[in-house]
Amino acid sequence: MSDNPPRRPRILVVTPEITYLPEGMGNLAQRMCAKAGGLADVSASLVKALYDQGADVHVALPNYRRMFHQDVASVFDNEFEKVSSALPEQRIHLAQDRVFYHRSSVYGAENHLIALAFQREVINHTLPQVRPDLIHCNDWMTGLIPAVAKQYGIKSLFTVHNIHSEHLTLAQIEDRGIDAAAFWQHCYYRRAPWNYEESRANNPVDLLTTGILSADHVNTVSPTFLDEIVQGYHHFIPDAIRNQLRDKHRDGRATGILNAPDPGFDPASDPYLKNHFTAADHSEGKRKNKLELQERLGLMGDPDVPLFFWPSRLDPVQKGCQLLGDILHSLVTQNKLQIAIIASGAYKNHFHDIVNRHRFHGQVAVRDFDEGLSHLGYAASDFIFMPSSFEPCGLPQMIAPKYGSLTLAHDTGGLHDTVDPFDAEADKGNGFLFKHFNGDGLRWAVNEALKFYHGGEEHRTHHRARIMKEAVARFNHEATAAAYIKRYEQMLDTAVMT
């Protein structure tokens, strides 16, 4: 019998993103674009959890030299630090190409060139060096890698954070140094290919759908959003993506795994707050933060008025800001309340027009997104708005309860998975879900929130403390990492930890 223990399976996490995605394509997109569930929110925590627990884990990402080594955007430095501090240097594999070096943002006019250069480096250099047993890929910019993995018999997990893809021909792919002829039959094309030669120049490959098709397992970032896609909801989902996810789901090879908010969202230690608080002393802390936010936004100073906060980008296609616009006048004139909108996006000017026309300045504030103000908004508010028409995951509704703020949400996608209807008698729930996507639905949720607020200080204190404690236990990176680790082990049929 050998004294050598069995070799642990080697995991390679491949992610092109530091924190951002194109406008309209994901969670907290107003942070210049969208904070994806990639390196910042999932991959960094995942590789740290894997490494801390003894797994043989590596991570591959583009070498964004300017963002990593210059102070052009400190958030990028911070996110890179999460990974570099979690892993020894030899486990971080930076893909090299001049297209990465001088960029000040991850996405821009050359997205397809970045995607191809990144995948070329991973395919040609990182895979032969690391020799992984399983590759975990993220979104369309890694969509070719599961096809390569399939060619070489390597297991792959493909995470769909956002429904967005690009289409490139085999000729374009090969022009960037990727030998597509070796794996072309594992790709998904705009039309069924006859053979490699006839499709090479004029039958584009769908990168996101290729990742879904070729991966051994696929996950979305919420269980309900996956179910909605499979059941035919959401007209914007391309047929190719829907059909491939349906096939995977039918075969038991597609699941939903929720993202989790950054651990920096903690009212007890949040660096953006002057007045910290915990579940045990939140009442006084929230009052002080409310007065500070009111002063900074020009709202009337009153710690006893119910304060509603809008935290996500003002995108009427997804985020439902038009529902609030439709009822804003009646809400303000018929109720004693305040609304703080700290967000950027297309609908901002419409809110400005309503406030200016009706002179609501002491009751409604509209400000561009600002990281510090947003954190203060969570700490100061009693409620947040999340009336999205669809939601692949969502993060604000998981952040808010940690700060003792209840969520008003449309019952869809990740919101369904994370917002539980408030029930005082059963002593459960963390928000108010409405079924019908219209102004009346949101108005009902506001009325329910006001009933909760006017139930008295003792009532609010009890339930907020419970909600805060439950959120800490439920919405965290450890829980997300554990779900991915379980999936790895099921795919490999072996433990990945020592």
Side-chain angles (χ1 to χ4, degrees):
M1 180 182 294
S2 173
D3 291 332
N4 295 324
R7 184 180 73 83
R8 292 168 296 160
R10 184 167 296 157
I11 312 297
L12 174 63
V13 178
V14 181
T15 177
E17 295 141 3
I18 307 306
T19 47
Y20 305 117
L21 283 179
E23 176 71 15
M25 294 310 301
N27 304 322
L28 302 186
Q30 62 203 24
R31 297 173 183 239
M32 296 173 56
C33 294
K35 189 165 187 177
L39 188 57
D41 287 326
V42 174
S43 296
S45 63
L46 183 58
V47 295
K48 185 178 189 304
L50 285 164
Y51 182 72
D52 287 350
Q53 296 179 52
D56 187 359
V57 61
H58 294 245
V59 62
L61 62 154
N63 187 1
Y64 294 108
R65 287 184 181 176
R66 184 180 179 196
M67 289 184 280
F68 290 163
H69 302 304
Q70 297 182 23
D71 191 23
V72 294
S74 61
V75 66
F76 291 102
D77 296 329
N78 293 338
E79 303 305 343
F80 181 62
E81 276 299 311
K82 290 181 185 177
V83 170
S84 58
S85 63
L87 293 179
E89 185 176 347
Q90 67 270 21
R91 292 177 180 269
I92 303 171
H93 305 273
L94 297 178
Q96 308 295 335
D97 192 281
R98 65 180 302 278
V99 74
F100 310 138
Y101 293 163
H102 303 294
R103 299 185 65 80
S104 58
S105 64
V106 173
Y107 291 90
E110 299 177 320
N111 288 352
H112 68 290
L113 296 181
I114 296 170
L116 291 178
F118 179 44
Q119 291 177 99
R120 180 199 69 223
E121 292 300 292
V122 172
I123 292 166
N124 294 347
H125 301 294
T126 308
L127 293 186
Q129 178 185 356
V130 175
R131 300 174 66 186
D133 297 286
L134 185 146
I135 309 171
H136 182 175
C137 297
N138 295 274
D139 272 350
W140 71 270
M141 291 186 80
T142 65
L144 297 175
I145 295 174
V148 176
K150 197 175 191 70
Q151 177 71 16
Y152 292 108
I154 304 170
K155 296 283 188 181
S156 64
L157 172 67
F158 189 72
T159 299
V160 179
H161 298 276
N162 300 281
I163 303 299
H164 174 76
S165 187
E166 296 289 336
H167 298 78
L168 300 169
T169 64
L170 293 170
Q172 290 174 299
I173 292 167
E174 292 179 334
D175 186 57
R176 303 302 295 179
I178 298 173
D179 183 12
F183 59 87
W184 76 274
Q185 69 270 33
H186 300 305
C187 296
Y188 188 95
Y189 298 85
R190 188 163 286 171
R191 58 173 173 79
W194 298 345
N195 54 49
Y196 167 77
E197 286 77 14
E198 72 81 24
S199 282
R200 183 176 183 274
N202 58 15
N203 189 8
V205 174
D206 180 328
L207 295 186
L208 183 69
T209 310
T210 290
I212 297 170
L213 169 69
S214 297
D216 294 278
H217 199 96
V218 179
N219 77 279
T220 58
V221 287
S222 79
T224 296
F225 189 64
L226 174 62
D227 290 342
E228 289 171 351
I229 295 172
V230 169
Q231 293 170 18
Y233 293 21
H234 309 312
H235 63 86
F236 60 87
I237 306 289
D239 288 342
I241 293 171
R242 189 189 305 279
N243 291 337
Q244 288 303 311
L245 282 174
R246 276 177 175 163
D247 288 347
K248 280 287 195 289
H249 188 263
R250 183 192 62 230
D251 294 341
R253 296 193 293 146
T255 50
I257 298 176
L258 282 169
N259 284 345
D262 190 288
F265 287 104
D266 179 356
S269 58
D270 191 326
Y272 291 104
L273 301 185
K274 297 177 184 175
N275 300 291
H276 296 105
F277 58 91
T278 66
D281 61 0
H282 71 272
S283 293
E284 185 61 24
K286 287 191 74 68
R287 287 175 68 87
K288 291 178 179 178
N289 282 294
K290 184 182 290 188
L291 286 169
E292 181 185 349
L293 184 68
Q294 289 169 334
E295 181 178 358
R296 291 179 64 176
L297 297 182
L299 296 170
M300 290 183 288
D302 183 353
D304 296 316
V305 69
L307 176 62
F308 293 75
F309 170 41
W310 183 287
S312 57
R313 71 184 183 280
L314 298 173
D315 168 22
V317 174
Q318 179 187 356
K319 294 300 183 181
C321 39
Q322 67 274 26
L323 304 189
L324 179 57
D326 290 346
I327 64 173
L328 184 60
H329 179 269
S330 60
L331 287 184
V332 175
T333 55
Q334 296 173 13
N335 302 280
K336 184 179 180 182
L337 54 76
Q338 292 181 354
I339 299 172
I341 300 169
I342 303 171
S344 302
Y347 207 78
K348 183 185 68 173
N349 288 338
H350 189 69
F351 281 132
H352 273 305
D353 290 343
I354 296 173
V355 171
N356 291 334
R357 185 184 315 125
H358 300 289
R359 298 180 181 178
F360 285 161
H361 300 90
Q363 295 152 287
V364 181
V366 183
R367 299 289 187 276
D368 285 336
F369 177 79
D370 174 87
E371 186 78 28
L373 270 182
S374 184
H375 282 243
L376 182 58
Y378 287 113
S381 63
D382 301 293
F383 310 100
I384 71 159
F385 290 115
M386 281 290 284
S388 304
S389 59
F390 66 93
E391 194 59 71
C393 180
L395 288 173
Q397 82 280 2
M398 290 187 264
I399 297 169
K402 294 188 174 192
Y403 290 76
S405 188
L406 284 71
T407 300
L408 283 61
H410 177 222
D411 191 3
T412 186
L415 300 173
H416 176 87
D417 294 328
T418 52
V419 180
D420 300 323
F422 177 76
D423 184 336
E425 290 186 6
D427 201 20
K428 65 180 183 179
N430 60 0
F432 309 94
L433 286 172
F434 61 95
K435 298 286 186 182
H436 302 291
F437 184 72
N438 55 38
D440 287 338
L442 181 58
R443 190 193 310 275
W444 172 86
V446 171
N447 289 338
E448 291 298 301
L450 291 175
K451 288 180 188 176
F452 165 82
Y453 190 87
H454 294 304
E457 177 67 25
E458 184 177 343
H459 168 81
R460 293 197 302 270
T461 299
H462 167 75
H463 289 290
R464 277 180 177 157
R466 171 185 57 79
I467 288 167
M468 291 174 72
K469 292 173 185 176
E470 291 174 353
V472 170
R474 181 179 175 189
F475 305 130
N476 60 75
H477 281 164
E478 289 74 18
T480 299
Y484 278 107
I485 291 166
K486 180 179 179 181
R487 178 56 55 197
Y488 295 165
E489 293 182 335
Q490 291 171 339
M491 291 173 65
L492 293 167
D493 195 26
T494 187
V496 300
M497 306 301 183
T498 50

